[in-house]
Amino acid sequence: MMTEEEKIILRDNIARVKERAAEAAIRAGRKPEEIALVAATKMNSTERIRFATENGIAICGENRVQELLDKYEQQAYGSADLQFIGTLQTNKVKYLIGKVSMIQSVGSLRLGEVIAKEAAKHGIVQDILLEVNIGGEASKSGVAPNQFWPLLDAAAAQPHIRVRGLMAIPPVNDNDKLNRAYLAAVRQLFLRAGECGYANVAMEVLSMGMSGDYENAIREGATLVRIGTAIYGERDYGLKTM
Ligand SMILES: *Cc1c(COP(=O)(O)O)cnc(C)c1O
């Protein structure tokens, strides 16, 4: 059970993130309502996730399929919109279709094809984002920038997926300038992709920015930020929190 103090902290964190995001938007000459806030829920209990949805969180992002299924069954996400943001194996796609409004993390044609096939079985068109590995890091998923155009081209040809934008996790670093350069590079791809005129592609969502860099991301054009730690606090990887 959450203590009263934990509830106060969680509520405060949500308010603070929203305020800082709104301020970053205004500083960039943008409107606060242009930026969607996704709470990254991994490792958090059903109670904490639900409490957040009752206190200002309208979109939850989950990044492990099993965790999502367990919490989904426990109705952790309440009436919030649910999106998938993590690395996704093709054999698990079938569990997500019908449950998530968006799969943010599509970095290969194979994954896009499997999503399209499962969506077709459900008679739906699944919204996706293409994940770009903007730093070209071996440890990260996402398509390499030089493979991005063929992937977009192929994804656009699949009738049961709709590419709604891009997602990226830039390399972790303390160099503010470098961080912004990566974020700006993602935005350039986003803008250029939007000019391609594919019928099945609408470049509307630019998902970048986490607890450490969401203000930079908003400055560089993000329309959606994914925040875990700054909302829920540090994750304890040693504990099973379910
Ligand atoms: C955990 C996670 C986040 C949030 O990370 P924080 O640094 O805790 O804000 C964002 N995006 C993805 C894909 C994640 O897995």
Side-chain angles (χ1 to χ4, degrees), residues 8-72:
I8 290 168
I9 291 171
L10 187 42
R11 248 194 233 113
D12 280 355
N13 285 351
I14 293 167
R16 189 172 322 107
V17 167
K18 285 190 175 183
E19 196 178 300
R20 284 178 55 179
E23 284 166 4
I26 289 164
R27 277 198 302 277
R30 307 178 60 199
K31 295 197 180 82
E33 57 271 26
E34 283 172 31
I35 293 121
L37 170 62
V38 172
T41 46
K42 62 173 172 278
M43 315 281 300
N44 273 281
S45 67
T46 292
E47 188 189 12
R48 290 170 64 75
I49 295 166
R50 192 182 299 139
F51 183 82
T53 66
E54 289 162 358
N55 288 274
I57 292 300
I59 315 172
C60 294
E62 194 62 76
N63 74 336
R64 290 185 184 86
V65 174
Q66 190 56 52
E67 226 177 294
L68 181 148
L69 295 175
D70 292 344
K71 292 173 186 169
Y72 191 89

Side-chain angles (χ1 to χ4, degrees), residues 12-230:
D12 280 355
N13 285 351
I14 293 167
R16 189 172 322 107
V17 167
K18 285 190 175 183
E19 196 178 300
R20 284 178 55 179
E23 284 166 4
I26 289 164
R27 277 198 302 277
R30 307 178 60 199
K31 295 197 180 82
E33 57 271 26
E34 283 172 31
I35 293 121
L37 170 62
V38 172
T41 46
K42 62 173 172 278
M43 315 281 300
N44 273 281
S45 67
T46 292
E47 188 189 12
R48 290 170 64 75
I49 295 166
R50 192 182 299 139
F51 183 82
T53 66
E54 289 162 358
N55 288 274
I57 292 300
I59 315 172
C60 294
E62 194 62 76
N63 74 336
R64 290 185 184 86
V65 174
Q66 190 56 52
E67 226 177 294
L68 181 148
L69 295 175
D70 292 344
K71 292 173 186 169
Y72 191 89
E73 197 165 299
Q74 296 165 19
Q75 298 176 335
Y77 309 109
S79 59
D81 184 42
L82 180 59
Q83 305 192 0
F84 192 77
I85 62 175
T87 305
L88 181 57
Q89 291 166 295
T90 51
N91 62 347
K92 301 212 169 135
V93 168
K94 57 178 178 284
Y95 302 115
L96 293 183
I97 305 298
K99 295 192 178 68
V100 297
S101 67
M102 178 110 80
I103 297 174
Q104 291 204 4
S105 36
V106 180
S108 71
L109 178 58
R110 169 101 184 96
L111 180 56
E113 284 173 344
V114 172
I115 293 170
K117 195 171 140 220
E118 290 297 327
K121 283 188 200 163
H122 285 249
I124 63 165
V125 176
Q126 177 68 57
D127 282 348
I128 65 166
L129 303 181
L130 297 181
E131 181 178 356
V132 182
N133 185 355
I134 198 66
E137 297 168 283
S139 62
K140 283 205 181 128
S141 48
V143 65
N146 65 353
Q147 297 296 308
F148 171 74
W149 298 103
L151 174 61
L152 178 66
D153 203 51
Q158 298 278 338
H160 285 277
I161 52 179
R162 185 189 301 115
V163 180
R164 295 275 315 279
L166 304 186
M167 188 268 240
I169 307 175
V172 177
N173 65 69
D174 298 328
N175 181 332
D176 211 50
K177 255 194 174 151
L178 192 56
N179 177 246
R180 287 203 340 246
Y182 280 118
L183 295 163
V186 182
R187 178 148 191 266
Q188 282 310 313
L189 273 184
F190 176 77
L191 292 176
R192 283 167 59 202
E195 289 161 3
C196 285
Y198 289 111
N200 223 11
V201 174
M203 284 288 153
E204 301 160 339
V205 181
L206 182 53
S207 171
M208 55 186 194
M210 319 204 307
S211 293
D213 67 349
Y214 68 96
E215 288 159 297
N216 276 350
I218 290 168
R219 172 176 172 158
E220 300 300 334
T223 70
L224 182 156
V225 294
R226 307 174 311 270
I227 313 289
T229 312

